[in-house]
Amino acid sequence: MTAPPFPLTWLYVPGDRPETVAKALVSGADVVLVDLEDAVAPDRKEYARAATAELLCEPPPVPVHVRVNALDGPYAEADLKTLSPLPGLSGLRLPKVTSPAEVVRVAEAAPSSDGGAIPLYALLETALGVEQAFAVATSHRALRGIALGEADLRADLGVRGDAGLDWSRARVVVAARAAGLAPPVQSVHPDVRDLDGLAASCTHGRDLGFLGRTAIHPRQLPVIERAYLPAPEEIERAEAVLKAAAADPGAQALPDGTFVDAAVVAGAHRTLALARHRR
């Protein structure tokens, strides 16, 4: 099963809690991210892998991606060998990627159930990973996206305030666009009770060029969706831009003085496409 054309909500859930995974599948998230890495204690790794394999023996009701364990650790090989052939797997999220070679190695070692390439998503969680963003983004045709893992990156950089991550965020957005990938998904907001802070952070992320966000609790999903969906006034403006462009294909100005050119028209098309696919 593939993700919707514009997936906005991606819900993380621990792989060793099948009952929680079952709830996540009906939570309204566009994509469920089963985590075998940070959310699972070492003595629960094998159980989490087996429970996830059982889930993915049949296609679930929504796309399911799995974040496997560290690629240089003792669990990743078994994760990839066990899960990649299963028909219910829609993608693999690779933690702490620092080089294109890691992506290539996984792509070659993890064919899908039909023999093709499983969609891969690289998480950049260190300074070295961010420095390698474009190289990773162009490493293999199976790679469909890159994103930041901000908790680990914050610790690696010694960043105190949130603004200290903005350069890395912009770097990943630019690398994804330059590689022809979808816009990155924003990293999690760790305080599940701070919905106002989540909304403000999503607005900032959208301003930076992100599209959608990972979540760690279902209550965060509607906040993320509202923040990333075009507001009524954005839709109205996009429609006005396209109407003006249709009437006169040349460059012109809207009644409010805004200059309309090909780039503005392209942005209007993206806005309306997102609005249509989320109705």
Side-chain angles (χ1 to χ4, degrees), residues 136-165:
V136 169
T138 55
S139 58
H140 196 277
R141 61 183 177 83
L143 191 82
R144 305 295 174 81
I146 58 175
L148 291 178
E150 291 190 358
D152 285 273
L153 181 60
R154 188 186 299 272
D156 189 43
L157 296 176
V159 169
R160 295 177 59 189
D162 190 67
L165 293 176

Short mmCIF file of all heavy atoms in Angstrom, two decimals, residues 136-165:
data_model
loop_
_atom_site.label_atom_id
_atom_site.label_comp_id
_atom_site.label_asym_id
_atom_site.label_seq_id
_atom_site.Cartn_x
_atom_site.Cartn_y
_atom_site.Cartn_z
N VAL A 136 23.33 11.97 0.17
CA VAL A 136 22.39 10.93 0.60
C VAL A 136 21.11 10.98 -0.24
O VAL A 136 20.59 9.96 -0.69
CB VAL A 136 22.06 11.09 2.10
CG1 VAL A 136 20.89 10.18 2.50
CG2 VAL A 136 23.28 10.77 2.95
N ALA A 137 20.62 12.19 -0.49
CA ALA A 137 19.37 12.35 -1.23
C ALA A 137 19.45 11.84 -2.66
O ALA A 137 18.43 11.50 -3.26
CB ALA A 137 18.95 13.82 -1.23
N THR A 138 20.64 11.77 -3.21
CA THR A 138 20.83 11.31 -4.58
C THR A 138 21.54 9.95 -4.64
O THR A 138 22.05 9.56 -5.69
CB THR A 138 21.65 12.34 -5.39
OG1 THR A 138 22.89 12.60 -4.70
CG2 THR A 138 20.90 13.65 -5.55
N SER A 139 21.51 9.21 -3.56
CA SER A 139 22.32 8.00 -3.46
C SER A 139 21.77 6.81 -4.21
O SER A 139 22.53 5.96 -4.69
CB SER A 139 22.50 7.62 -1.98
OG SER A 139 21.22 7.42 -1.37
N HIS A 140 20.43 6.70 -4.31
CA HIS A 140 19.84 5.49 -4.93
C HIS A 140 18.41 5.81 -5.34
O HIS A 140 17.71 6.59 -4.68
CB HIS A 140 19.85 4.33 -3.93
CG HIS A 140 19.63 2.99 -4.56
ND1 HIS A 140 18.37 2.51 -4.85
CD2 HIS A 140 20.51 2.02 -4.95
CE1 HIS A 140 18.47 1.30 -5.39
NE2 HIS A 140 19.75 0.98 -5.46
N ARG A 141 17.97 5.17 -6.41
CA ARG A 141 16.60 5.42 -6.89
C ARG A 141 15.53 4.97 -5.89
O ARG A 141 14.40 5.44 -5.94
CB ARG A 141 16.38 4.70 -8.22
CG ARG A 141 16.52 3.19 -8.14
CD ARG A 141 16.37 2.52 -9.50
NE ARG A 141 16.57 1.09 -9.42
CZ ARG A 141 15.64 0.22 -9.05
NH1 ARG A 141 14.42 0.65 -8.74
NH2 ARG A 141 15.90 -1.08 -8.99
N ALA A 142 15.89 4.07 -4.98
CA ALA A 142 14.91 3.62 -3.98
C ALA A 142 14.66 4.66 -2.90
O ALA A 142 13.66 4.58 -2.17
CB ALA A 142 15.38 2.32 -3.33
N LEU A 143 15.56 5.63 -2.77
CA LEU A 143 15.39 6.64 -1.73
C LEU A 143 14.29 7.61 -2.13
O LEU A 143 14.37 8.26 -3.18
CB LEU A 143 16.69 7.40 -1.49
CG LEU A 143 16.62 8.28 -0.23
CD1 LEU A 143 16.90 7.45 1.00
CD2 LEU A 143 17.58 9.45 -0.30
N ARG A 144 13.26 7.73 -1.30
CA ARG A 144 12.12 8.57 -1.60
C ARG A 144 12.05 9.83 -0.75
O ARG A 144 11.25 10.72 -1.02
CB ARG A 144 10.82 7.78 -1.41
CG ARG A 144 10.77 6.50 -2.22
CD ARG A 144 10.77 6.74 -3.71
NE ARG A 144 10.85 5.49 -4.44
CZ ARG A 144 9.83 4.69 -4.68
NH1 ARG A 144 8.61 5.01 -4.21
NH2 ARG A 144 9.99 3.57 -5.35
N GLY A 145 12.86 9.90 0.29
CA GLY A 145 12.80 11.09 1.14
C GLY A 145 13.92 11.14 2.15
O GLY A 145 14.53 10.11 2.49
N ILE A 146 14.22 12.35 2.61
CA ILE A 146 15.15 12.56 3.71
C ILE A 146 14.45 13.41 4.76
O ILE A 146 13.50 14.14 4.45
CB ILE A 146 16.45 13.23 3.26
CG1 ILE A 146 16.17 14.59 2.61
CG2 ILE A 146 17.23 12.32 2.32
CD1 ILE A 146 17.42 15.37 2.24
N ALA A 147 14.89 13.31 5.98
CA ALA A 147 14.31 14.10 7.06
C ALA A 147 15.32 14.19 8.19
O ALA A 147 16.29 13.42 8.25
CB ALA A 147 13.00 13.47 7.55
N LEU A 148 15.08 15.12 9.10
CA LEU A 148 15.93 15.26 10.27
C LEU A 148 15.40 14.43 11.43
O LEU A 148 14.19 14.27 11.59
CB LEU A 148 15.99 16.72 10.72
CG LEU A 148 16.72 17.71 9.81
CD1 LEU A 148 16.62 19.10 10.40
CD2 LEU A 148 18.18 17.31 9.60
N GLY A 149 16.31 13.95 12.24
CA GLY A 149 15.98 13.43 13.57
C GLY A 149 16.49 14.46 14.56
O GLY A 149 17.67 14.49 14.91
N GLU A 150 15.61 15.35 14.98
CA GLU A 150 16.08 16.56 15.67
C GLU A 150 16.55 16.32 17.10
O GLU A 150 17.40 17.07 17.59
CB GLU A 150 14.99 17.63 15.61
CG GLU A 150 14.78 18.18 14.20
CD GLU A 150 13.88 19.40 14.18
OE1 GLU A 150 13.37 19.81 15.25
OE2 GLU A 150 13.67 19.95 13.07
N ALA A 151 16.03 15.32 17.78
CA ALA A 151 16.47 15.09 19.15
C ALA A 151 17.95 14.72 19.18
O ALA A 151 18.75 15.28 19.94
CB ALA A 151 15.63 13.99 19.80
N ASP A 152 18.34 13.78 18.33
CA ASP A 152 19.74 13.38 18.27
C ASP A 152 20.62 14.49 17.71
O ASP A 152 21.74 14.71 18.17
CB ASP A 152 19.88 12.11 17.42
CG ASP A 152 19.40 10.88 18.14
OD1 ASP A 152 20.20 10.27 18.87
OD2 ASP A 152 18.22 10.52 18.00
N LEU A 153 20.11 15.20 16.70
CA LEU A 153 20.89 16.28 16.10
C LEU A 153 21.12 17.41 17.11
O LEU A 153 22.22 17.97 17.19
CB LEU A 153 20.17 16.82 14.87
CG LEU A 153 20.88 17.95 14.13
CD1 LEU A 153 22.25 17.51 13.63
CD2 LEU A 153 20.02 18.45 12.97
N ARG A 154 20.10 17.71 17.88
CA ARG A 154 20.24 18.76 18.91
C ARG A 154 21.36 18.39 19.88
O ARG A 154 22.19 19.23 20.25
CB ARG A 154 18.91 18.91 19.64
CG ARG A 154 18.85 20.10 20.59
CD ARG A 154 17.55 20.07 21.38
NE ARG A 154 16.40 20.15 20.50
CZ ARG A 154 15.84 21.28 20.08
NH1 ARG A 154 16.34 22.44 20.47
NH2 ARG A 154 14.79 21.26 19.30
N ALA A 155 21.38 17.12 20.31
CA ALA A 155 22.42 16.69 21.24
C ALA A 155 23.80 16.70 20.59
O ALA A 155 24.80 17.10 21.21
CB ALA A 155 22.09 15.28 21.74
N ASP A 156 23.86 16.29 19.33
CA ASP A 156 25.15 16.24 18.63
C ASP A 156 25.73 17.63 18.45
O ASP A 156 26.95 17.83 18.58
CB ASP A 156 24.97 15.55 17.27
CG ASP A 156 26.29 15.26 16.59
OD1 ASP A 156 27.23 14.81 17.27
OD2 ASP A 156 26.40 15.49 15.37
N LEU A 157 24.87 18.60 18.16
CA LEU A 157 25.34 19.96 17.92
C LEU A 157 25.51 20.78 19.20
O LEU A 157 26.13 21.84 19.19
CB LEU A 157 24.36 20.69 17.00
CG LEU A 157 24.21 20.15 15.57
CD1 LEU A 157 23.14 20.93 14.83
CD2 LEU A 157 25.54 20.22 14.83
N GLY A 158 24.92 20.31 20.29
CA GLY A 158 24.94 21.10 21.51
C GLY A 158 24.06 22.33 21.43
O GLY A 158 24.34 23.35 22.07
N VAL A 159 23.00 22.23 20.64
CA VAL A 159 22.11 23.37 20.43
C VAL A 159 21.21 23.55 21.65
O VAL A 159 20.65 22.59 22.17
CB VAL A 159 21.24 23.14 19.16
CG1 VAL A 159 20.14 24.16 19.07
CG2 VAL A 159 22.12 23.20 17.93
N ARG A 160 21.05 24.80 22.08
CA ARG A 160 20.18 25.08 23.23
C ARG A 160 18.78 25.48 22.78
O ARG A 160 17.79 24.89 23.21
CB ARG A 160 20.80 26.18 24.08
CG ARG A 160 22.11 25.78 24.74
CD ARG A 160 22.70 26.94 25.51
NE ARG A 160 21.81 27.41 26.56
CZ ARG A 160 22.01 28.52 27.28
NH1 ARG A 160 23.07 29.27 27.03
NH2 ARG A 160 21.16 28.87 28.21
N GLY A 161 18.68 26.48 21.93
CA GLY A 161 17.37 26.96 21.50
C GLY A 161 16.94 26.33 20.20
O GLY A 161 17.75 25.81 19.42
N ASP A 162 15.64 26.38 19.95
CA ASP A 162 15.09 25.77 18.74
C ASP A 162 15.65 26.41 17.48
O ASP A 162 15.85 25.74 16.47
CB ASP A 162 13.57 25.88 18.77
CG ASP A 162 12.91 25.06 17.68
OD1 ASP A 162 12.99 23.82 17.74
OD2 ASP A 162 12.32 25.66 16.77
N ALA A 163 15.90 27.72 17.53
CA ALA A 163 16.38 28.42 16.34
C ALA A 163 17.73 27.89 15.86
O ALA A 163 18.09 28.05 14.69
CB ALA A 163 16.49 29.91 16.62
N GLY A 164 18.46 27.25 16.76
CA GLY A 164 19.76 26.71 16.39
C GLY A 164 19.69 25.58 15.38
O GLY A 164 20.72 25.21 14.78
N LEU A 165 18.50 25.03 15.16
CA LEU A 165 18.34 23.96 14.19
C LEU A 165 17.87 24.45 12.83
O LEU A 165 17.78 23.66 11.87
CB LEU A 165 17.33 22.92 14.72
CG LEU A 165 17.76 22.13 15.94
CD1 LEU A 165 16.62 21.23 16.41
CD2 LEU A 165 19.00 21.30 15.65
#
